[in-house]
Amino acid sequence: MSVRSYADFTTQATFEIKKCDVHKLDEAPATQVVMTRDEGLQYYRTMQTMRRMELKADQLYKQKIIRGFCHLYDGQEACAVGIEGGITLSDHLITAYRAHGYTYTRGGTVKEIMAELTGRRGGIAKGKGGSMHMYCKNFYGGNGIVGAQGQIFETYNMAALWKLPAIFVCENNRYGMGTSVERASASTDYYKRGDYIPGLRVDGMDVLCVREATRFAADHCRSGKGPILMELQTYRYHGHSMSDPGVSYRTREEIQEVRGKSDPISLLKDRMLSNNMASVEELKEIDVEVRKEIEDAAQFATTDPEPPLEELCNHIFYNDPPLEVRGTNPWTKLKSVS
Amino acid sequence: MASSLRCFLRTGKNAVSALQRREFHRTLPVAVQVTVRDALNQAMDEELERDERVFLLGEEVAQYDGAYKVSRGLWKKYGDKRIIDTPITEMGFAGIAVGAAMAGLRPICEFMTFNFSMQAIDQVINSAAKTYYMSAGQQSVPIVFRGPNGASAGVAAQHSQCFAAWYGHCPGLKVVSPWSAEDAKGLLKSAIRDDNPVVFLENELMYGVPFEMSEESQSKDFTIPIGKAKVERQGNHITLVTHSRYVSHCLDAAAVLAKEGIECEVINLRTIRPLDVESIETSVMKTNHLVTVEGGWPQYGVGAEICARIMEGPAFNYLDAPVTRVTGVDIPMPYAKILEDNSVPQIKDVIFSVKKTLNV
């Protein structure tokens, strides 16, 4: 049996990607993009890790090891990975509650993320934040409450007024909780909703499309032109959260169709294989490694102890002298340190 | 009879035992088991039927049957004009609801949890609560803001806050906090019939809890007056004043303490504003000891207000010990189970505080 060496593979290839719809822009992101073998493998690994991590979270939630709210990202991997591919870790990112994917691309480890979901001391927020409140450097969470309209227009106004270098990303997965976008929005052309702010509508299932659009958007901002909007058309396989089966407001056929025709990981895999950028075995090997990483992380997340009670009152204030905190009754006085 | 049939058909639970108990030719009062969720559903159903100006709006209330299934079946029965799904835009739809109330309708505005009401709090306070006053009586705002309040299980800091104290602070608002299914039904009907803005604080952990509902409470005209507390358990040694889920904690604690010969009087506030100080005073003047129990934070809270009011009235002279407040721990709600369990009052905290207050 001959072993294929890495010299057999194409080191880079050019791909045709979908043209983005533009709003108030004279140019659009390129439709011919180059991806190297290394980039492809990295995107594949990252997306696969994210996918398996979310599926593991689903399992742990059903076993009641993860509690509370859990909003899963599977289906939307190309968005987080593509965005990170177009920016750097020194840029700043903030998102809403469907945050596990971004926590990973921003530098969190699978172990830390899973241990946070299970509420253990090894969690990225020491078990105090939970699914919706994960943070790391230049990543501002993970936020549970979102103002879907009014506040965003206020922000658009100020960003445009002061020419702030901000990319506003709308991950349009077609549903706001259990309500389809058509039932909730007078206009579903979200990329145009910035009005005087230019916008792009991007195929959010194609990691290269997202990356290219993000690079374009980042250039726009970095060159002092002010804010820009990106609407990523994507899809979530799970319901809104783990308490939503996700099939009362959409059909199983629809979900299956997206999985069959537009799955971001499959799309990338097909591209790499048909351009001789990787072998089936190589990708399978990555799958095996990813699976192991997730298993190890889950093992850690289920065996790591819960945070100690001494942690209960810490982190109320930053850079402040230690503080006394009232417990559930006047005789219980607890301690808080920064 | 029809409504009680509906009750047990809906819940399914104890349907057989209810049937067996039922004697059609007698007038014996028959109780049925109803969950808080179903009681709220019945209240809205009956009021929607009674008054065509009443309507419900909020996120997922219609086609999804309600995020917590409280409005299940209502959209199917009443349609798009009475049960309205809104986009995820609290400030916007709360404002629309207040406007509708001003124009003569009687909206029920649901917040998926009261944490989200902070997005719309200006509408609740400045547009709803203060308007009748500012207009010198010209413009009333007959609106109900309802939804789950306080801690749930594992939903972390941004989804666990209790808003009883914040809303209870404002003149012009009525603030109601039911505990049992009977409370939920009777108080929600009163809130909907009230011509003033009412903040109706439900509790997610209580939604699935079944309670026995009396025959009387199954009537379509059954209401519970806003502003009146209820003595759930009589006792002579100490008064426990509480609201919402913690009524259960207090009753459980009272059962344990009774075995040691300590008889607690448990008062279910039912309404936060206006506060039924008189009921508390009457009880304290009998027992001479008071413990308040709530899920919210201590500072400037419901318990703090009760302490102040007791001191300002006749009951102060009857106190044999300072009032004790049992409250949530003064921190944002942590996620990890062990930390969360230690952030809210447990039954053992109530028992401990009772004994300390009684000095036993």
Side-chain angles (χ1 to χ4, degrees):
Chain A
M1 181 179 88
S2 64
V3 177
R4 292 186 67 185
S5 73
Y6 293 136
D8 294 335
F9 293 121
T10 322
T11 48
Q12 67 176 52
T14 307
F15 296 93
E16 185 82 30
I17 56 173
K18 223 184 256 175
K19 191 174 197 317
C20 295
D21 294 319
V22 297
H23 169 74
K24 300 242 165 92
L25 281 166
D26 295 322
E27 289 166 340
T31 49
Q32 299 253 338
V33 296
V34 171
M35 182 178 77
T36 68
R37 187 182 120 82
D38 285 342
E39 284 169 344
L41 290 172
Q42 189 230 318
Y43 300 151
Y44 181 82
R45 181 184 291 269
T46 312
M47 290 201 287
Q48 192 68 285
T49 306
M50 232 184 256
R51 173 69 58 92
R52 298 244 70 93
M53 181 176 77
E54 295 295 77
L55 293 178
K56 183 51 96 172
D58 167 284
Q59 200 181 38
L60 293 173
Y61 192 91
K62 287 174 176 151
Q63 292 173 297
K64 299 200 198 293
I65 298 171
I66 296 177
R67 319 151 56 224
F69 293 138
C70 193
H71 307 86
L72 298 177
Y73 200 68
D74 52 312
Q76 298 187 207
E77 294 86 357
C79 295
V81 176
I83 287 175
E84 200 62 53
I87 58 173
T88 73
L89 282 172
S90 59
D91 292 318
H92 305 255
L93 196 147
I94 189 170
T95 190
Y97 42 79
R98 203 173 302 282
H100 310 159
Y102 288 104
T103 313
Y104 183 62
T105 51
R106 286 265 97 191
T109 64
V110 182
K111 243 182 170 177
E112 290 173 315
I113 295 170
M114 301 217 75
E116 186 59 36
L117 291 175
T118 56
R120 309 300 165 102
R121 61 182 72 185
I124 204 166
K126 303 194 182 183
K128 294 167 86 165
S131 167
M132 299 176 287
H133 311 297
M134 299 193 185
Y135 304 84
C136 52
K137 188 161 198 306
N138 292 332
F139 177 53
Y140 304 86
N143 290 279
I145 319 257
V146 288
Q149 276 179 229
Q151 292 163 354
I152 204 160
F153 290 108
E154 293 178 10
T155 317
Y156 285 164
N157 183 44
M158 288 184 279
L161 198 55
W162 298 329
K163 282 210 154 42
L164 302 178
I167 305 175
F168 294 98
V169 181
C170 171
E171 289 177 294
N172 179 3
N173 56 22
R174 307 194 208 170
Y175 301 93
M177 287 188 282
T179 306
S180 68
V181 294
E182 294 78 28
R183 287 210 302 129
S185 297
S187 158
T188 55
D189 290 335
Y190 296 105
Y191 72 112
K192 290 185 184 169
R193 298 278 291 272
D195 191 13
Y196 35 77
I197 296 183
L200 294 168
R201 182 157 57 189
V202 184
D203 178 1
M205 304 306 267
D206 178 354
V207 68
L208 293 181
C209 220
V210 178
R211 185 188 74 175
E212 201 54 40
T214 308
R215 279 184 180 159
F216 180 91
D219 281 338
H220 177 98
C221 291
R222 294 192 217 280
S223 58
K225 294 188 187 137
I228 187 168
L229 231 131
M230 270 197 337
E231 177 190 339
L232 307 179
Q233 294 188 301
T234 184
Y235 200 81
R236 52 166 163 80
Y237 295 143
H238 270 85
H240 163 72
S241 70
M242 284 303 296
S243 51
D244 169 25
V247 288
S248 62
Y249 49 86
R250 53 183 195 173
T251 61
R252 281 181 215 274
E253 289 74 46
E254 180 187 280
I255 305 171
Q256 282 305 97
E257 198 186 337
V258 176
R259 241 191 239 279
K261 295 199 184 136
S262 321
D263 182 272
I265 299 176
S266 302
L267 276 168
L268 177 64
K269 183 175 178 178
D270 289 343
R271 273 195 174 132
M272 292 191 75
L273 291 176
S274 55
N275 281 275
N276 193 31
M277 293 182 95
S279 70
V280 173
E281 296 80 31
E282 196 178 6
L283 295 180
K284 266 215 175 77
E285 221 182 283
I286 294 178
D287 290 348
V288 168
E289 283 164 15
V290 166
R291 221 173 283 252
K292 177 156 196 323
E293 188 184 352
I294 304 301
E295 276 311 318
D296 288 347
Q299 176 66 9
F300 175 73
T302 48
T303 53
D304 196 38
E306 284 190 288
L309 280 178
E310 296 76 59
E311 259 310 310
L312 184 69
C313 299
N314 291 342
H315 310 115
I316 307 248
F317 290 123
Y318 175 56
N319 245 359
D320 245 36
L323 168 68
E324 197 176 79
V325 173
R326 189 197 201 269
T328 57
N329 59 69
W331 298 278
T332 305
K333 298 192 202 296
L334 306 165
K335 186 101 172 284
S336 173
V337 296
S338 290
Chain B
M1 183 178 124
S3 59
S4 51
L5 256 169
R6 237 195 1 246
C7 287
F8 65 71
L9 280 171
R10 226 196 286 269
T11 59
K13 267 191 201 130
N14 300 307
V16 173
S17 54
L19 267 167
Q20 285 171 343
R21 281 203 302 269
R22 218 176 160 78
E23 294 166 68
F24 294 98
H25 58 283
R26 298 277 213 96
T27 53
L28 262 168
V30 176
V32 283
Q33 292 262 328
V34 181
T35 60
V36 171
R37 175 185 284 113
D38 289 340
L40 292 167
N41 186 284
Q42 281 172 35
M44 287 197 285
D45 193 355
E46 289 170 13
E47 296 306 299
L48 281 158
E49 196 177 65
R50 175 180 178 270
D51 186 341
E52 61 182 7
R53 297 170 301 169
V54 176
F55 72 99
L56 171 68
L57 89 168
E59 294 155 14
E60 313 296 346
V61 296
Q63 294 187 22
Y64 195 78
D65 268 340
Y68 296 101
K69 305 298 178 215
V70 178
S71 55
R72 177 169 30 207
L74 295 180
W75 174 66
K76 214 164 176 198
K77 185 170 176 186
Y78 295 100
D80 285 332
K81 285 223 169 326
R82 311 286 299 286
I83 313 291
I84 303 172
D85 273 338
T86 62
I88 307 172
T89 53
E90 279 77 9
M91 180 67 115
F93 70 70
I96 287 177
V98 173
M102 288 179 178
L105 295 178
R106 302 190 75 91
I108 305 169
C109 176
E110 177 178 302
F111 290 122
M112 197 177 284
T113 75
F114 266 94
N115 301 283
F116 307 134
S117 76
M118 284 201 286
Q119 297 276 315
I121 203 164
D122 179 73
Q123 296 289 6
V124 179
I125 306 301
N126 283 327
S127 302
K130 298 178 185 172
T131 295
Y132 192 65
Y133 180 89
M134 293 190 292
S135 66
Q138 288 173 84
Q139 179 66 68
S140 68
V141 188
I143 187 169
V144 176
F145 297 102
R146 51 160 289 274
N149 175 58
S152 177
V155 295
Q158 291 179 347
H159 289 78
S160 306
Q161 192 169 330
C162 174
F163 289 85
W166 281 27
Y167 287 119
H169 189 58
C170 302
L173 266 187
K174 296 192 184 181
V175 181
V176 175
S177 184
W179 165 61
S180 63
E182 204 160 298
D183 283 359
K185 185 169 181 197
L187 288 169
L188 185 53
K189 285 165 77 76
S190 292
I192 294 168
R193 295 183 192 193
D194 200 305
D195 293 327
N196 296 288
V198 181
V199 165
F200 193 86
L201 305 170
E202 299 162 9
N203 188 291
E204 200 235 313
L205 296 171
M206 294 303 291
Y207 281 152
V209 180
F211 286 86
E212 248 186 35
M213 279 187 76
S214 62
E215 172 98 0
E216 189 213 346
S217 67
Q218 291 160 46
S219 147
K220 282 189 184 176
D221 284 312
F222 170 72
T223 57
I224 291 178
I226 293 178
K228 210 71 202 75
K230 180 179 180 214
V231 178
E232 299 285 352
R233 183 190 197 280
Q234 302 238 348
N236 285 313
H237 300 131
I238 188 164
T239 304
L240 303 181
V241 178
T242 180
H243 70 102
S244 187
R245 184 161 168 259
Y246 296 93
V247 177
S248 303
H249 285 54
C250 288
L251 289 172
D252 289 346
V256 173
L257 288 160
K259 295 198 184 111
E260 298 178 48
I262 299 172
E263 293 298 331
C264 303
E265 181 143 292
V266 178
I267 300 181
N268 170 10
L269 279 174
R270 285 179 158 177
T271 303
I272 304 290
R273 187 183 184 107
L275 190 65
D276 184 0
V277 192
E278 223 182 284
S279 293
I280 306 173
E281 283 172 335
T282 307
S283 178
V284 172
M285 294 197 289
K286 180 176 74 169
T287 67
N288 311 121
H289 298 86
L290 178 57
V291 173
T292 67
V293 184
E294 67 193 292
W297 295 316
Q299 206 155 334
Y300 311 111
V302 173
E305 175 64 16
I306 293 172
C307 287
R309 298 279 275 267
I310 289 294
M311 284 200 289
E312 291 167 357
F316 173 70
N317 294 304
Y318 290 76
L319 282 174
D320 285 348
V323 179
T324 298
R325 295 178 298 159
V326 177
T327 67
V329 176
D330 201 16
I331 52 173
M333 183 68 74
Y335 167 66
K337 188 166 197 322
I338 193 176
L339 297 184
E340 187 180 49
D341 289 345
N342 281 277
S343 302
V344 289
Q346 303 293 341
I347 295 167
K348 62 176 166 72
D349 295 316
V350 180
I351 294 170
F352 173 78
S353 300
V354 166
K355 289 183 171 174
K356 283 287 257 190
T357 309
L358 288 171
N359 203 20
V360 294

